[in-house]
Amino acid sequence: MGRYDFIVIGSGPSGRRAAIQAAKLGKSVLVIEGRLKVGGVSVHTGTIPSKTLRETALNLSGWRERGFYGRSYRVKKEIGSQDLSIRLGKTLAHEVDVLEHQFLRNGVATMAGFARFVDPHRVVVTSPDGSELAVEGDRFLIAVGTVPHRPEGIDFDDPDILDSDQVVDIARLPRSLAVVGAGVIGIEYATIFSALDVAVTVIEPRANFLEFIDREIIEEFVHQLRDRGVTFRLGSAVETVARGADGRIVTTLEDGRAVRSEMLLYCAGRMGATGGLGLDACGIEVDGRGRVAVDATTFQTSASHIYAAGDVIGFPSLASTSMEQGRIAACHAFGLPLPPAPAYFPYGIYAVPEISTVGMSEEEVRRRGINYECGIARLRETSRGHIMGLEQGLMKMIFSNKTRRLLGVHIIGEGATELIHIGQAVLNLKGTIDYFIENTFNYPTLAEAYKIAALDAWNRMAR
Ligand SMILES: Cc1cc2nc3c(=O)[nH]c(=O)nc-3n(C[C@H](O)[C@H](O)[C@H](O)COP(=O)(O)OP(=O)(O)OC[C@H]3O[C@@H](n4cnc5c(N)ncnc54)[C@H](O)[C@@H]3O)c2cc1C
């Protein structure tokens, strides 16, 4: 039986980062992965595939050029599922290759198979051919991620009913699509398909969605989506999903309304992939959604030598934050001082248009009773935006009237997920409005929006 200093279960962002960190500290590390290829949900069905589909959709549809050439502009007239899958296949193969090489270079051992604890220091791995092997470890990281929530009564064997893992292998492009769930994943896919001219209806039981984002940004977002024909059915839950007499999928809502579509994409929630992991053998409990509780600083579970990181511990469930959690867990496990967690991390929502945000929203600033001022810049006000033909998109900055410090940045539009890092740096370095006013920005760039928004706020700030 093999014995390792550190056994990592799951090879997604948190597992990968933890494994490499431990290996760099000279520890013997084994990564066990249930899939045939390493990379996790992030590489195979989540982050990378959805972002690749988005990029393909934007490129082939000519989306970015429509500001200049009109709404009917297309790079490729007929876009089929094959057009989407070719780029996907290449990107995923590259990601797996990079990761395998990283493991190899750092001397991290990998094993394909499904792991389950049989006691607090031993897991049994069932390999794809059914054979079993036990391995022992001093320390463990549970990095098993999540699986899509599939409610009873929805027939996921129907080829036209997909969950968020299946959509990356979509067999054909539908003419109409109902997306159930207006969380980040549902909204990203809804807008990607809409960019491909699929008629999309978003169904969400709550009256609002993406509630952690500044409301002004969401208002702008909804306005843009409605303008291009996306329908919202908010405030009513799904009651039934069935095939209608005309062969279409009929989604009936609790308020009696029905949505008819060629396909349905179900994106309402994910569950921790802890079923079958044998956590009871280590005295670790999970909540109703299969998630594991951890110490927020060290990522230790209730068994102190077993850590958990990534989506299996819940919020914020991002690849970006999962990586940091994995690294911190490995540092703690092997006695390295923990880096202080930065106060603010950014959110990126890769919808069409994309949204990114860091720091406090205007609603949060008001809740806290902070005396503040906002500044707005439209991306079309920058020369670069004009050159690019951008008609939409805005940046909103929030500053404290008292300290002049930046409190939050909220961006919707082209480049939002990249632009946000300027705001993130200033925010975490406790910078003020003066940084944006006094510094020179490259010209022409979208980043000039920072200066424009800051000057807009400055004009109204108490001096
Ligand atoms: C559609 C979609 C889009 C997303 N887009 C973004 C984005 O744009 N940006 C972002 O930051 N985040 C995004 N996320 C979230 C991101 O993918 C996750 O936060 C991240 O993958 C979580 O990483 P993880 O370390 O928890 O492992 P995961 O990536 O969840 O991988 C876990 C791995 O563990 C394996 N496993 C499970 N059980 C066992 C077992 N018992 N034995 C062995 N192996 C096991 C699984 O097979 C899986 O490969 C997206 C998610 C989805 C679903």
Side-chain angles (χ1 to χ4, degrees), residues 188-203:
E188 286 187 356
Y189 278 125
T191 59
I192 291 169
F193 281 101
S194 155
L196 289 167
D197 292 322
V198 175
V200 173
T201 304
V202 176
I203 302 168

Side-chain angles (χ1 to χ4, degrees), residues 174-362:
R175 288 159 65 105
S176 56
L177 178 73
V179 176
V180 178
V184 175
I185 296 171
I187 284 293
E188 286 187 356
Y189 278 125
T191 59
I192 291 169
F193 281 101
S194 155
L196 289 167
D197 292 322
V198 175
V200 173
T201 304
V202 176
I203 302 168
E204 165 63 45
R206 287 167 307 169
N208 291 313
F209 63 97
L210 301 181
E211 279 163 323
F212 60 100
I213 305 285
D214 189 279
R215 282 300 94 189
E216 199 170 350
I217 297 293
I218 294 298
E219 278 164 22
E220 171 77 16
F221 185 62
V222 171
H223 170 77
Q224 288 189 30
L225 295 189
R226 286 210 164 110
D227 189 48
R228 66 180 212 239
V230 174
T231 306
F232 286 92
R233 290 281 176 267
L234 306 179
S236 189
V238 170
E239 202 166 65
T240 58
V241 175
R243 279 247 175 222
D246 62 357
R248 286 192 296 169
I249 309 283
V250 182
T251 309
T252 308
L253 310 184
E254 277 175 352
D255 65 7
R257 295 201 286 183
V259 176
R260 287 180 174 73
S261 57
E262 237 179 73
M263 281 193 190
L264 178 134
L265 172 58
Y266 193 89
C267 294
R270 296 181 64 95
M271 308 281 293
T274 46
L277 192 57
L279 291 182
D280 40 350
C282 326
I284 298 173
E285 291 181 354
V286 298
D287 69 10
R289 294 182 63 184
R291 293 174 302 202
V292 178
V294 291
D295 178 298
T297 318
T298 64
F299 297 97
Q300 285 167 295
T301 66
S302 56
S304 60
H305 68 292
I306 302 179
Y307 294 74
D311 284 11
V312 73
I313 65 169
F315 179 85
S317 294
L318 292 169
S320 52
T321 49
S322 299
M323 290 185 219
E324 285 311 292
Q325 293 167 357
R327 188 172 70 88
I328 292 170
C331 286
H332 187 266
F334 299 106
L336 225 64
L338 298 187
Y344 298 103
F345 60 85
Y347 277 97
I349 300 178
Y350 294 81
V352 183
E354 64 189 66
I355 295 176
S356 200
T357 175
V358 67
M360 287 187 254
S361 65
E362 188 170 353

Side-chain angles (χ1 to χ4, degrees), residues 117-200:
F117 283 94
V118 287
D119 68 44
H121 281 282
R122 213 152 41 105
V123 295
V124 166
V125 184
T126 308
S127 67
D129 66 10
S131 59
E132 291 195 339
L133 190 76
V135 280
E136 256 183 15
D138 281 346
R139 306 258 193 284
F140 292 83
L141 178 75
I142 299 168
V144 295
T146 53
V147 289
H149 168 55
R150 288 181 157 202
E152 297 211 346
I154 298 185
D155 179 12
F156 287 96
D157 290 332
D158 186 320
D160 291 336
I161 299 181
L162 310 172
D163 66 25
S164 58
D165 277 1
Q166 293 169 313
V167 67
V168 295
D169 294 321
I170 195 164
R172 66 189 171 84
L173 271 189
R175 288 159 65 105
S176 56
L177 178 73
V179 176
V180 178
V184 175
I185 296 171
I187 284 293
E188 286 187 356
Y189 278 125
T191 59
I192 291 169
F193 281 101
S194 155
L196 289 167
D197 292 322
V198 175
V200 173

Side-chain angles (χ1 to χ4, degrees), residues 10 13-14 33-35 40-42 47 51 114-115 144-145 311 317-320:
S14 62
E33 171 52 59
R35 293 171 201 255
V41 167
S42 176
T47 314
K51 265 78 267 181
F114 191 84
V144 295
D311 284 11
S317 294
L318 292 169
S320 52

Side-chain angles (χ1 to χ4, degrees), residues 427-448:
L427 199 65
N428 279 321
L429 294 169
K430 302 183 177 24
T432 67
I433 191 167
D434 303 314
Y435 173 84
F436 301 99
I437 292 173
E438 289 165 6
N439 277 278
T440 303
F441 285 66
N442 269 338
Y443 175 85
T445 55
L446 294 180
E448 277 182 274

Side-chain angles (χ1 to χ4, degrees), residues 344-381:
Y344 298 103
F345 60 85
Y347 277 97
I349 300 178
Y350 294 81
V352 183
E354 64 189 66
I355 295 176
S356 200
T357 175
V358 67
M360 287 187 254
S361 65
E362 188 170 353
E363 292 71 35
E364 191 176 347
V365 170
R366 290 175 81 90
R367 254 195 321 273
R368 293 183 184 214
I370 299 172
N371 181 351
Y372 71 98
E373 193 49 85
C374 295
I376 298 272
R378 301 264 160 198
L379 296 187
R380 63 166 183 265
E381 292 177 76

